[in-house]
Amino acid sequence: MQSKQKKYEWNWDNSKIVKPVEDQDESSSDDEVKEEVSVKKKKLSAAERREFEREKERLIREREEFFARNATPSTVEQFERLVIARPNSSILWIRFMAYYVENTELEKARATAKRALKTIAARQEQERLNVVYAWLNLESAFGTPESLERVSEDAIQVNDPFKVFQHLLALHAEAGRFEKLKETIKQCTHKLSHNMETGPACAAALYKVGLADDAREILMKTKQNVAPSRHVDLEIKFAILEGKHGHREQSCNLFEKIISEHPKRVDIWSVYVDSLVKNGDIKNARQTLARVAATSLPPKKMKVILKKYLNFEETHGTPATISEVKERIMKYVEDTTNK
């Protein structure tokens, strides 16, 4: 049986490239191809057997056509036919770019990116962004600092600037271009100073390359640009980042500060516990749940905490710890009922 040819992957930096979603018509066709007729021949009449054979041949023919239609193009002419047939498909344009890159024709790859952005409909924002990401990857890997800067500036002007900046931060971090990373962060925080996601995104890139002190400075600067009512949300994001990147003590200190200021915010307690669990600190997560379960909370909020506590022990605990939490819950219910 013929096997489906593996599709070309744009593979300069898969961890940072947003892979375009395959079109629905391809996946639905594939599902149809995979269907099997389960009726046994011996149970069919002559007419039914003929119909069975016709259906079988149809499925085989559709499978062959499907493979032929989706095989990786190997010539410019084949690519041209595909992008004309499906002009809004970013994955086809990116494959076309990759074809030229593989043949060391970088200028043609760039020209293809320009053509794609002129061709893809303006309303297809994600498809256009996919091509932009691919072009930025091309310049980062094979271009010059000047060419990357030119493409970046144009991309920021006509696309969601936050998404473009976010991709640039990842590219600079991966490539170890620390000075350029800091320069891009300065541009990003200046241009998007009132976007709540800007600070955490810039800090994440700094944490990733080991510049934790610089990341913490971002928190202080970002707090100056957002309303005081949003400070707690910002601090939570940074506390999570600290833990994610191995700075557990700083993460806990920041969470403890937040909790001391908002002791009845069970959502914050919950995020704190989740962060500890993700970082493998099960002991501290258990102690934190025990602490909040011992506080005075309204019944609805306590119900949320006790449920989370029980779920935690059922996942990470032992029969003994599960039993302890169940007893705590029963005692709480009894005490609440008797009031």
Side-chain angles (χ1 to χ4, degrees):
M1 182 180 293
Q2 185 179 359
S3 61
K4 185 176 179 180
Q5 184 174 353
K6 184 178 179 180
K7 292 191 173 185
Y8 186 91
E9 292 287 348
W10 186 270
N11 199 32
W12 292 333
D13 181 9
N14 274 340
S15 64
K16 290 295 167 287
I17 295 172
V18 177
K19 294 183 180 179
V21 178
E22 295 288 355
D23 292 339
Q24 291 297 320
D25 59 344
E26 291 187 9
S27 59
S28 60
S29 298
D30 194 39
D31 290 338
E32 291 175 4
V33 169
K34 291 178 180 177
E35 289 181 358
E36 295 182 357
V37 180
S38 59
V39 181
K40 295 182 180 180
K41 288 185 180 181
K42 63 181 181 181
K43 294 183 179 180
L44 302 178
S45 65
E48 289 172 332
R49 282 199 297 271
R50 287 194 296 271
E51 180 60 26
F52 176 87
E53 291 299 329
R54 283 195 293 269
E55 178 68 5
K56 184 178 177 181
E57 290 174 1
R58 184 186 68 79
L59 289 174
I60 292 173
R61 185 170 60 254
E62 287 185 358
R63 179 187 290 272
E64 291 173 347
E65 291 173 355
F66 177 79
F67 290 148
R69 186 170 65 249
N70 292 279
T72 301
S74 57
T75 67
V76 172
E77 290 74 19
Q78 290 174 343
F79 274 112
E80 288 291 352
R81 285 197 295 270
L82 286 173
V83 296
I84 289 173
R86 293 165 60 192
N88 290 325
S89 174
S90 60
I91 195 169
L92 290 179
W93 287 107
I94 293 172
R95 287 174 179 170
F96 203 173
M97 292 171 64
Y99 169 82
Y100 282 126
V101 172
E102 284 189 333
N103 289 281
T104 66
E105 297 181 282
L106 297 183
E107 287 306 316
K108 289 185 178 180
R110 292 183 174 104
T112 301
K114 291 180 183 178
R115 181 181 161 198
L117 294 175
K118 289 181 180 179
T119 303
I120 297 175
R123 66 181 180 278
Q124 300 288 338
E125 294 180 7
Q126 188 58 55
E127 297 298 313
R128 295 175 63 83
L129 265 175
N130 290 338
V131 174
V132 168
Y133 294 154
W135 195 355
L136 291 171
N137 294 334
L138 185 153
E139 299 301 343
S140 178
F142 304 110
T144 64
E146 293 75 22
S147 67
L148 179 58
E149 185 70 22
R150 284 195 301 271
V151 176
S152 301
E153 289 177 355
D154 290 343
I156 290 167
Q157 292 298 320
V158 297
N159 296 278
D160 182 332
F162 174 74
K163 291 181 179 179
V164 176
F165 272 122
Q166 195 172 27
H167 194 78
L168 285 170
L169 293 173
L171 286 179
H172 293 319
E174 285 292 325
R177 296 187 290 257
F178 296 162
E179 291 306 315
K180 191 61 182 176
L181 174 62
K182 292 180 180 180
E183 181 183 326
T184 303
I185 286 173
K186 186 178 294 185
Q187 294 172 350
C188 183
T189 52
H190 175 73
K191 188 176 182 67
L192 306 174
S193 60
H194 297 289
N195 185 335
M196 270 287 293
E197 299 301 321
T198 298
C202 293
L206 290 168
Y207 279 119
K208 185 171 184 178
V209 298
L211 300 176
D213 289 338
D214 294 87
R216 291 168 192 139
E217 288 182 12
I218 295 287
L219 171 59
M220 303 307 298
K221 293 178 181 178
T222 305
K223 288 174 70 173
Q224 297 173 6
N225 296 317
V226 299
S229 60
R230 305 300 301 277
H231 285 185
V232 62
D233 294 331
L234 196 62
E235 289 178 336
I236 290 171
K237 291 178 183 293
F238 273 79
I240 293 171
L241 283 172
E242 289 276 15
K244 179 180 178 180
H245 292 279
H247 306 285
R248 293 186 179 182
E249 183 177 353
Q250 290 86 345
S251 176
C252 289
N253 289 342
L254 189 48
F255 267 121
E256 291 293 339
K257 170 186 175 296
I258 300 168
I259 284 174
S260 68
E261 296 170 352
H262 306 276
K264 296 187 182 298
R265 286 276 303 271
V266 295
D267 57 325
I268 299 176
W269 283 99
S270 182
V271 171
Y272 186 9
V273 171
D274 289 343
S275 178
L276 290 168
V277 171
K278 287 180 181 178
N279 298 327
D281 195 349
I282 302 302
K283 180 180 178 181
N284 201 359
R286 177 176 286 113
Q287 292 173 347
T288 302
L289 281 166
R291 281 170 54 202
V292 64
T295 61
S296 176
L297 290 173
K300 286 186 178 180
K301 292 186 176 183
M302 183 59 77
K303 181 180 178 181
V304 172
I305 289 298
L306 292 176
K307 182 178 180 181
K308 187 175 187 68
Y309 198 173
L310 181 58
N311 290 339
F312 169 85
E313 291 299 348
E314 288 175 343
T315 303
H316 302 284
T318 64
T321 59
I322 294 172
S323 179
E324 289 175 7
V325 174
K326 287 182 176 179
E327 289 177 5
R328 181 192 287 265
I329 293 173
M330 291 177 62
K331 185 176 186 306
Y332 175 79
V333 172
E334 291 175 0
D335 292 345
T336 304
T337 304
N338 294 331
K339 283 185 178 180

